[in-house]
Amino acid sequence: MKKYLVFVLFGSMLTALGNAIASPEMVRKYNCTACHAEDKKKYGPTYQQVALKYADDAGAAERLAKKIQTGGAGVWGNTPMPAQPRVTDEDALTIAKYILAVK
Ligand code: HEC
């Protein structure tokens, strides 16, 4: 029993760690970092601003995942975000959740 508990605890720790590392790596891989940073304004809004804006919005992750892939303008000003068609559905959702969790 004890062994099982340790195993489960260790497993969920690894999963949490994996998610935390995977998403910052993804935004680098897809070159989002050229226009976005967590807390410094670049060409696009910071991830902190995005997380704050949608803090009470339950459907935000799915909507942002779509917007990441299709791009668009008008939410943060007139500067458009180009579409990112290389981002897979799964990665888009993972990244959206990571961005929404940035504090
Ligand atoms: C060429 C610059 C550029 C790149 C590259 C870029 N973005 Fe953006 N991003 C922007 C701009 C500009 C906006 C503001 C768009 C608006 O006002 O609707 C934006 C907005 C966003 C938003 C907020 C959308 C909203 O509706 O509130 C998210 C989330 C986002 N970007 C994530 C990403 C991710 C993830 C990537 C990489 C896959 C990425 N961006 C790549 C420029 C960029």
Side-chain angles (χ1 to χ4, degrees):
M1 186 62 195
K2 247 193 187 149
K3 245 189 199 156
Y4 174 75
L5 263 182
V6 167
F7 181 73
V8 168
L9 273 179
F10 190 64
S12 51
M13 262 164 59
L14 276 187
T15 310
L17 202 67
N19 285 342
I21 292 172
S23 306
E25 260 175 14
M26 272 184 206
V27 294
R28 264 195 297 278
K29 176 176 113 188
Y30 287 122
N31 220 11
C32 319
T33 34
C35 296
H36 295 283
E38 287 198 356
D39 58 0
K40 222 171 52 226
K41 179 103 177 72
K42 292 173 113 176
Y43 190 74
T46 70
Y47 292 153
Q48 266 178 356
Q49 287 177 299
V50 175
L52 212 66
K53 183 177 175 71
Y54 301 107
D56 296 322
D57 187 339
E62 281 74 21
R63 269 208 332 278
L64 287 182
K66 263 261 131 26
K67 167 122 176 192
I68 289 169
Q69 293 176 306
T70 55
V75 178
W76 298 91
N78 292 324
T79 319
M81 169 162 158
Q84 311 290 318
R86 284 186 309 139
V87 184
T88 63
D89 291 355
E90 201 189 340
D91 282 3
L93 196 59
T94 304
I95 294 173
K97 285 181 180 156
Y98 148 69
I99 291 173
L100 288 169
V102 170
K103 297 233 160 58

